[in-house]
Amino acid sequence: MTKAFIFLGPPGCGKGTQTDILSKELNLPHVDTGSLLRKNISEKTEIGKIAQGYIDKGQLVPLEVVSTVIKNRLMEDDCKNGYILDGFPRSLEQAGALDKIIEELNQKIEMTAVYFDIPTEVLVERLVNRRSCPKCGKIYNIKTSAPKVENKCDDCKVDLIQRKDDTKETALLRFETYEKETHPLLDFYTKRGVLKTINANQPVKDVWAELAKIAGI
Ligand code: AMP
């Protein structure tokens, strides 16, 4: 049986940080469409060229593009025993596409959708203060979880970067997209009986405690 976790929540809710912890604990790959798309952009692939304009505007990249990226990733060997989906699906049509991909890959799935519940007011601040390591992907917040040396990754010692779409203007557009496209998924996975909700408006270790319980750790 393949364990699939689907992490849902607005931009900056802490899904990425928690996925990293869960991924290490359960030895499951972290499949993050945002990072996969950004990798395509930095490698200047065809997919990257299409994705760039949508990402800059805080809009969803078209279905065929993200479906291709996800399908290719889920076909890789390390996804055989399960995976944690962070940032996919992000709309009802993507949820349908995911079901189709799982069927095509003939995976027997035990699915758990986890909603990171947090008021959006606190998130703009989080996003504009977010920095990450370009090498290992570790996420920092310059106000609440700053690196030991200013703007350097604690582990890799390289300069941290700020995502281009983590500005206030683009963040607000991303929230709008989230409300319109992604929020309806909560109802979709509730009806399917697989949705669990955690309070994401607390320190990382407390969010993790709730998530660990859900994951049976
Ligand atoms: P994230 O890193 O998850 O915040 O995603 C950054 C941006 O990548 C989003 O604002 C979208 O433009 C794009 N993106 C990421 N995941 C998806 C997805 N599942 N569907 C469409 N666009 C996506």
Side-chain angles (χ1 to χ4, degrees):
M1 185 69 88
T2 305
K3 258 183 193 269
F5 287 90
I6 297 174
F7 281 6
L8 301 167
C13 68
K15 306 189 291 292
T17 302
Q18 296 295 330
T19 314
D20 281 341
I21 307 174
L22 186 64
S23 161
K24 283 186 193 121
E25 285 287 332
L26 294 183
N27 199 22
L28 295 177
H30 176 177
V31 177
D32 163 11
T33 36
S35 298
L36 291 168
L37 292 168
R38 283 188 289 278
K39 184 163 176 269
N40 272 277
I41 291 173
S42 66
E43 290 170 357
K44 299 191 172 28
T45 66
E46 278 312 306
I47 282 181
K49 279 181 206 154
I50 301 170
Q52 175 96 66
Y54 293 92
I55 292 182
D56 288 349
K57 287 191 226 125
Q59 294 170 349
L60 293 188
V61 172
L63 178 67
E64 317 78 68
V65 177
V66 276
S67 296
T68 305
V69 167
I70 277 288
K71 188 170 180 189
N72 290 341
R73 182 64 188 91
L74 298 189
M75 281 165 74
E76 286 180 35
D77 234 31
D78 63 338
C79 289
K80 265 201 194 114
N81 297 324
Y83 37 83
I84 306 162
L85 292 178
D86 166 14
F88 185 90
R90 244 169 155 115
S91 65
L92 288 169
E93 66 169 3
Q94 289 187 10
L98 175 62
D99 287 343
K100 205 164 143 236
I101 290 170
I102 289 172
E103 202 182 305
E104 283 166 7
L105 297 180
N106 210 9
Q107 291 176 335
K108 299 270 167 289
I109 292 287
E110 185 193 324
M111 190 184 274
T112 308
V114 182
Y115 170 46
F116 288 70
D117 189 12
I118 185 163
T120 43
E121 300 87 78
V122 301
L123 293 179
V124 177
E125 181 79 2
R126 264 201 202 181
L127 287 180
V128 297
N129 291 329
R130 178 161 72 176
R131 302 289 182 277
S132 62
C133 172
K135 207 164 162 201
C136 70
K138 189 167 173 184
I139 300 162
Y140 296 86
N141 179 299
I142 51 172
K143 294 265 170 70
T144 57
S145 55
K148 291 186 189 108
V149 176
E150 197 182 335
N151 211 42
K152 296 270 182 215
C153 177
D154 293 345
D155 303 324
C156 312
K157 318 289 178 212
V158 298
D159 282 348
L160 300 179
I161 52 167
Q162 179 176 29
R163 278 171 46 174
K164 231 173 112 192
D165 58 347
D166 275 349
T167 59
K168 191 165 179 193
E169 296 70 35
T170 315
L172 292 173
L173 294 172
R174 287 160 67 202
F175 288 129
E176 259 176 47
T177 305
Y178 171 80
E179 278 305 323
K180 186 164 156 251
E181 306 280 354
T182 315
H183 202 73
L185 286 178
L186 301 183
D187 215 31
F188 179 86
Y189 286 116
T190 300
K191 285 192 181 126
R192 198 174 268 195
V194 298
L195 188 83
K196 309 271 184 207
T197 297
I198 59 183
N199 173 11
N201 194 16
Q202 32 176 3
V204 171
K205 67 171 186 16
D206 299 327
V207 178
W208 166 247
E210 288 195 28
L211 179 58
K213 225 182 257 170
I214 289 169
I217 296 168

